[in-house]
Amino acid sequence: MPHFITPLFNTHLKLPLFGSQVPAGFPSPADDHLESELDLNEYLIDHPSETFFVRAKGDSMLEAGIFDKDLLIVDRSLTAKHNDIVIAAVGGELTVKRLCVQHGKPWLLPANPDYRPIQIKEGSELYVWGVVIHAIHRMNANG
């Protein structure tokens, strides 16, 4: 069972958001224009009372940009549809996978060729806890 992290929605932390975009190619001098303030709760979360955080474990979703120990933001208010990345319970086990519906039958697909798709067979129970709307990860291993 994953360790769930509940966000503090009554806490606002607005940080400066600079109007300049940072080029990922050739560097250019940045201007000091402050566009506004940014509260990550407001930016990342549309439905606060229906949202939870959970940490990813493992490498089955690498090609979807989800890495081991990433913080996933999951919205329970969204109806999961074909191609969404979801947190699902199958056979009592939680997993993060891409939901695929083929010929009316659901599958849970990994985003790593080293893992096999999970077929939800007739009579099996699939419970979708929510749709993953963001994955947050550190850019270095020292953090």
Side-chain angles (χ1 to χ4, degrees):
M1 185 67 75
H3 175 73
F4 292 99
I5 304 166
T6 305
L8 300 174
F9 293 111
N10 293 331
T11 302
H12 296 280
L13 176 60
K14 295 189 181 221
L15 300 173
L17 173 63
F18 289 90
S20 299
Q21 294 182 354
V22 179
F26 189 74
S28 68
D31 65 43
D32 291 328
H33 176 68
L34 179 64
E35 179 179 311
S36 64
E37 292 181 328
L38 175 67
D39 183 325
L40 289 177
N41 283 329
E42 292 173 10
Y43 183 72
L44 297 173
I45 300 170
D46 291 328
H47 308 106
S49 65
E50 296 294 322
T51 300
F52 65 92
F53 297 161
V54 65
R55 289 227 180 259
K57 180 179 178 185
D59 62 357
S60 72
M61 296 301 289
L62 288 178
E63 291 179 8
I66 297 175
F67 304 95
D68 187 41
K69 297 186 179 97
D70 276 3
L71 183 64
L72 305 179
I73 302 176
V74 183
D75 191 331
R76 292 183 298 210
S77 74
L78 300 176
T79 300
K81 58 188 182 314
H82 175 73
N83 223 23
D84 281 345
I85 295 176
V86 299
I87 303 296
V90 180
E93 298 284 326
L94 285 180
T95 188
V96 57
K97 298 287 183 279
R98 187 172 304 278
L99 177 65
C100 178
V101 181
Q102 292 180 338
H103 308 292
K105 297 183 181 188
W107 288 72
L108 296 174
L109 304 180
N112 181 333
D114 293 340
Y115 293 83
R116 296 167 105 27
I118 300 170
Q119 181 182 13
I120 309 303
K121 296 180 180 171
E122 198 167 318
S124 297
E125 190 170 311
L126 168 66
Y127 179 76
V128 175
W129 284 44
V131 176
V132 176
I133 55 173
H134 297 285
I136 302 170
H137 60 267
R138 292 189 181 270
M139 299 305 294
N140 62 41
N142 297 331

